[in-house]
Amino acid sequence: KHIIIMIPNTWDKISTQQFMQFNALNKVKGKDAKDTMNILIQKAAILSGLDMYEAEKIPISELSNIKKLAEQGIKSKIYKSFQLNGIWYEVILNPNDLTSERYAGVMEASKVDPIQGIAKTLFYLCKPFKKGLFGRKYYEHKEGDIPKIIEGFNDLPITISYPIAVFFLTLLKEYTDYSLTYSKEKMTQMKEEILKAQADLLKDTDGLKQ
């Protein structure tokens, strides 16, 4: 049976979890032609949401969409706020604004593999809030809900999660390196340069509109 093309042709249709699974398979090399084809079918299953049995029925011509997608870069727009599963979040992009708990969470999530830890990294970088007449009212998730909330970040489009995680982790590394080796005056200068660069990058990137 012919399967209608179901492989997305843009990254904004790919979730964070799909990307993590796809990225892991990209590191696997096939031993032979059959093995290589099997890996390609696994990628098709991940990107399309089909099971392996259904993915095996996708024509070779349609599997070429996987290569086209992989060759596209993920757009670098950085959202300052977004809505996920009915909850609004504000993104913390300045290391100085992190609490010690959030800082420790980000470092722990990115310790082994930054890509595999995107969902957890985003959880600690994003403050939930409710919209009200007098602006945003921030709050914290209940401790018992946290595992489920973190899991929910896997549903976030990779075009939102990836630029935020990469930008912040790069910024944090530079910030940490300087803090270990530079004087107080140099730290102040470096901080101003980072914040200016950050402001330039974030210009006109307000986030998803209602």
Side-chain angles (χ1 to χ4, degrees):
K1 180 181 177 181
H2 183 78
I3 299 291
I4 298 174
I5 296 177
M6 301 182 73
I7 298 172
N9 54 11
T10 57
W11 284 113
D12 58 356
K13 298 176 182 177
I14 303 298
S15 71
T16 297
Q17 183 168 4
Q18 285 175 307
F19 177 79
M20 290 190 295
Q21 294 171 339
F22 181 81
N23 182 68
L25 274 180
N26 269 341
K27 300 175 182 178
V28 179
K29 301 297 182 182
K31 300 175 183 177
D32 50 39
K34 183 178 179 180
D35 196 32
T36 298
M37 177 56 68
N38 184 58
I39 293 172
L40 188 62
I41 293 172
Q42 288 182 61
K43 289 180 179 179
I46 290 169
L47 297 178
S48 66
L50 299 172
D51 59 33
M52 283 294 289
Y53 176 76
E54 294 172 316
E56 286 174 349
K57 298 178 182 178
I58 299 177
I60 296 294
S61 59
E62 295 177 10
L63 291 177
S64 64
N65 284 308
I66 295 175
K67 182 178 180 182
K68 293 177 183 177
L69 180 65
E71 289 174 345
Q72 293 181 35
I74 297 176
K75 60 183 180 181
S76 57
K77 179 176 180 179
I78 300 174
Y79 290 91
K80 291 190 288 185
S81 63
F82 58 84
Q83 191 176 32
L84 174 66
N85 297 328
I87 300 173
W88 277 98
Y89 290 95
E90 180 178 289
V91 184
I92 303 170
L93 286 171
N94 184 343
N96 286 331
D97 295 334
L98 288 174
T99 62
S100 57
E101 181 182 7
R102 289 183 181 277
Y103 178 86
V106 170
M107 297 304 290
E108 181 65 27
S110 61
K111 186 185 299 181
V112 179
D113 186 338
I115 297 298
Q116 295 303 313
I118 287 181
K120 197 169 184 179
T121 295
L122 264 289
F123 169 78
Y124 286 108
L125 289 182
C126 299
K127 297 189 297 183
F129 68 87
K130 294 180 180 179
K131 292 185 175 182
L133 294 175
F134 303 101
R136 300 177 178 182
K137 183 177 181 180
Y138 300 97
Y139 64 95
E140 295 295 335
H141 293 297
K142 295 179 181 178
E143 188 172 345
D145 294 337
I146 289 178
K148 184 178 179 180
I149 295 293
I150 292 177
E151 185 65 26
F153 274 92
N154 284 315
D155 297 329
L156 195 65
I158 193 63
T159 47
I160 296 178
S161 60
Y162 188 77
I164 292 171
V166 169
F167 174 79
F168 185 86
L169 292 174
T170 300
L171 185 71
L172 188 61
K173 182 180 185 304
E174 293 180 7
Y175 186 89
T176 304
D177 288 348
Y178 274 97
S179 67
L180 291 175
T181 59
Y182 278 63
S183 65
K184 183 177 180 180
E185 291 75 16
K186 200 70 177 177
M187 270 289 293
T188 301
Q189 179 185 345
M190 180 276 299
K191 190 185 303 180
E192 291 174 353
E193 291 173 355
I194 283 183
L195 292 178
K196 182 179 183 303
Q198 177 178 313
D200 292 339
L201 274 170
L202 296 178
K203 195 174 297 180
D204 300 322
T205 58
D206 264 338
L208 301 179
K209 304 297 181 184
Q210 281 187 306

